[in-house]
Amino acid sequence: MSDHRNLTREKLAHLIGETEQTLSELKQEMERRDEAAQHRELDRLEEHLDHAENGLRTVRDFFRLLTAELRKSGQS
């Protein structure tokens, strides 16, 4: 990088403008990528819900088994 102390005011202003433009473009690209990732996850929402449903079913079955075992042990 050049020594900024030797740049004219106009050149420095131009570089600032270019830098701000580049930063704006980078931010827009990051937003675009974030939105694309969100859309990919939304496209997989059905899959996520299926996994959650399976997990809840497993927990429910575990509690049913636990309840049955507690009832059995209470009758002994």
Side-chain angles (χ1 to χ4, degrees):
M1 187 144 283
S2 64
D3 187 1
H4 293 48
R5 290 174 290 199
N6 295 330
L7 296 176
T8 64
R9 185 174 185 348
E10 291 76 22
K11 180 66 175 169
L12 191 56
H14 179 75
L15 285 174
I16 289 171
E18 286 181 344
T19 302
E20 288 174 341
Q21 178 64 34
T22 301
L23 180 59
S24 175
E25 291 169 2
L26 289 171
K27 286 179 178 180
Q28 288 174 3
E29 177 61 18
M30 189 178 347
E31 286 178 23
R32 186 196 65 75
R33 290 181 186 190
D34 289 345
E35 288 175 8
Q38 289 175 357
H39 285 284
R40 283 192 303 273
E41 290 304 313
L42 284 173
D43 290 342
R44 295 182 58 210
L45 184 58
E46 191 74 32
E47 181 183 338
H48 292 306
L49 291 173
D50 287 343
H51 282 103
E53 188 176 312
N54 288 336
L56 290 172
R57 191 175 301 119
T58 300
V59 169
R60 183 194 64 215
D61 292 345
F62 169 75
F63 280 118
R64 284 182 179 166
L65 178 66
L66 182 62
T67 303
E69 288 296 318
L70 288 172
R71 285 184 185 142
K72 265 184 11 184
S73 68
Q75 291 176 358
S76 300

